[in-house]
Amino acid sequence: QVQVVESGGGLVQAGGSLRLSCTASGLTFDDYAMAWFRQAPGKEREGVSCFSRSGGSTNYLDSAKGRFTISTDNAKNTLYLQMNSLKPEDTAMYYCAAAHYCGSTPVQAISIAYWGQGTQVTVSS
């Protein structure tokens, strides 16, 4: 049974940092691109970042570029999202996902094979 479990969310002041973690089990971690999405109240879920197995390339939502960094630890089947210089508009539920492929936006829900249940990030002003 595949499980994708996020952790690391919380409440932080604007300008602060958080590191989200995501551990995947029941699948071959290296077979999947790994991605982060987020969904704010009243808004659609959007791709934040994606880590491709094709050369280890990464891509980001424009608003996350320069502030967020996605990385993996294959030995631990774990995906990370380091988020710095957080803004109130980053407040959302953040979801980890195992994807068949990344895209250019940086990732679309149609490519997702497995979803996590989400971890809440709240940035206060």
Side-chain angles (χ1 to χ4, degrees), residues 30 32-35 49-59 70 72 100-103:
D30 290 356
Y32 293 88
M34 295 299 296
S49 184
C50 196
F51 183 98
S52 172
R53 298 300 179 181
S54 177
S57 62
T58 58
N59 52 12
I70 191 171
T72 65
H100 293 297
Y101 53 87
C102 296

Side-chain angles (χ1 to χ4, degrees), residues 19-35:
R19 188 175 81 155
L20 306 184
S21 299
C22 166
T23 300
S25 60
L27 53 73
T28 302
F29 192 64
D30 290 356
D31 283 351
Y32 293 88
M34 295 299 296

Side-chain angles (χ1 to χ4, degrees), residues 31-118:
D31 283 351
Y32 293 88
M34 295 299 296
W36 289 99
F37 286 75
R38 68 185 181 188
Q39 187 167 20
K43 295 188 176 181
E44 292 187 356
R45 192 173 296 192
E46 63 179 355
V48 175
S49 184
C50 196
F51 183 98
S52 172
R53 298 300 179 181
S54 177
S57 62
T58 58
N59 52 12
Y60 297 90
L61 186 67
D62 282 347
S63 62
K65 289 178 182 176
R67 299 188 299 125
F68 293 6
T69 303
I70 191 171
S71 62
T72 65
D73 184 335
N74 290 337
K76 297 180 179 179
N77 279 19
T78 300
L79 175 74
Y80 301 100
L81 185 69
Q82 177 67 44
M83 304 187 294
N84 299 327
S85 302
L86 282 161
K87 305 174 182 180
E89 51 263 44
D90 294 317
T91 294
M93 185 71 78
Y94 282 71
Y95 297 90
C96 175
H100 293 297
Y101 53 87
C102 296
S104 58
T105 58
V107 58
Q108 294 179 311
I110 193 172
S111 72
I112 300 307
Y114 303 102
W115 290 98
Q117 302 232 349

